[in-house]
Amino acid sequence: MEIIIQPTYAKLVAVSAQIIRDALLKKPNLVLGLATGSTPIGLYEALARMHKIDGLDFSKVTTFNLDEYVGIPSSHPYSYHTFMETHFFSAVNISPENCHIPQSIVVGHEEFCEKYEAAIVNAGGIDIQVLGVGKDGHIGFNEPSSSLGSRTRLKTLTQSTLEANAPHFGGTVDAVPKMAITMGVGTIMEAKQCLLLASGESKAEAIAHAVEGSITAEVPASVLQMHPRTIAVIDEGAASQLKRVDYYKQVYANKQKLLSQEH
Ligand code: F6R
């Protein structure tokens, strides 16, 4: 795993937006896997600015979101459909028919999940999968103990996730939907590249385990150690429990130096 440690969230955003921008300039019909949550908001804002100011073109881009709650309408203010529309889709020139988000109803979920997987394959697979990480190490809504080979499916959320998401539902855990449809860990692992973002000390333990701990279903993000092309862009807070911070910084500095000599 390549670990890029940045001093601030703003710098984390700048580095991750640059990675997506470069990929999009190379491949205009990029297939992006997208996450919701607070972590990627700055990334979406930065990409929207690149579109507005530099004309970064999303017209041929296809997207697949990781997950969506079930049991609330997709028009709910805190559904992931609404989140994506608000924070990203409405701010760039992406075609609505190219944007895919899991359904928010339970009826027909098995058939839906199969079709979602097939749609990813038909699109040529995900080029870059943006990921956040839960405090408990979840990716997507793949909670601890999720099969590391799991596919898109209906999943019950843990108490820790319900509590983390309660502020969006009036502050009460009872109001948070208890289930979601999520891409599986195996689905995520098929992305050609993963871009894991984490900010703040509350993510430090999850990042330390994901990057330097043993690979275990108890910390689904740890499976990314087996992914051939995962870049983790994290800030100092999220890096604060890593053992090899100096080495990761040295690796990144050397790479930047080499790249600057090439140009
Ligand atoms: C959301 C998702 C989740 C979040 C994770 C971190 O689509 O896949 O795994 O990435 O819960 O959420 P934040 O960024 O709000 O801390």
Side-chain angles (χ1 to χ4, degrees), residues 22-252:
D22 290 350
L24 184 48
L25 292 178
K26 272 196 205 132
K27 186 182 179 204
N29 61 342
L30 199 68
V31 181
L32 280 173
L34 300 177
T36 58
S38 53
T39 314
I41 290 178
L43 168 64
Y44 298 143
E45 287 170 354
L47 292 173
R49 272 196 305 277
M50 288 172 173
H51 166 67
K52 200 171 167 199
I53 297 165
D54 307 323
L56 189 63
D57 183 16
F58 289 84
S59 62
K60 297 189 180 70
V61 168
T62 299
T63 64
F64 289 92
N65 265 77
L66 282 166
D67 43 17
E68 175 59 290
Y69 294 114
V70 295
I72 56 170
S74 56
S75 58
H76 186 283
Y78 287 105
S79 76
Y80 289 167
H81 282 76
T82 303
F83 177 100
M84 290 311 301
E85 194 54 35
T86 309
H87 292 288
F88 191 43
F89 297 154
S90 61
V92 293
N93 63 332
I94 198 161
S95 304
E97 65 271 20
N98 289 351
C99 301
H100 306 271
I101 304 180
Q103 69 178 24
S104 56
I105 50 170
V106 79
V107 179
H109 65 91
E110 282 175 351
E111 194 188 342
F112 173 84
C113 292
E114 271 177 35
K115 284 190 177 155
Y116 203 69
E117 293 267 342
I120 294 173
V121 173
N122 287 343
I126 291 172
D127 291 305
I128 302 182
Q129 175 65 59
V130 177
L131 294 169
V133 62
K135 286 179 199 165
D136 58 4
H138 70 233
I139 46 175
F141 270 136
N142 295 288
E143 301 285 28
S145 83
S146 288
S147 158
L148 298 184
S150 53
R151 312 302 309 186
T152 304
R153 68 210 183 292
L154 189 64
K155 193 72 195 151
T156 295
L157 309 185
T158 58
Q159 186 66 17
S160 151
T161 299
L162 296 178
E163 283 165 15
N165 294 347
H168 294 157
F169 292 88
T172 52
V173 167
D174 283 351
V176 184
K178 306 289 178 289
M179 299 184 96
I181 290 179
T182 180
M183 272 187 211
V185 180
T187 321
I188 293 169
M189 287 293 282
E190 278 170 16
K192 289 162 203 152
Q193 181 172 11
C194 290
L195 184 60
L196 174 66
L197 310 178
S199 170
E201 280 182 23
S202 67
K203 300 293 174 68
E205 199 180 333
I207 285 294
H209 194 132
V211 175
E212 295 173 339
S214 50
I215 298 171
T216 166
E218 276 303 292
V219 182
S222 64
V223 77
L224 294 169
Q225 292 175 35
M226 297 290 291
H227 191 281
R229 274 184 80 211
T230 288
I231 302 182
V233 187
I234 62 180
D235 64 12
E236 294 280 359
S240 59
Q241 289 187 35
L242 287 170
K243 283 186 282 209
R244 300 183 189 279
V245 167
D246 291 345
Y247 178 64
Y248 304 137
K249 288 185 177 172
Q250 198 186 327
V251 170
Y252 184 60

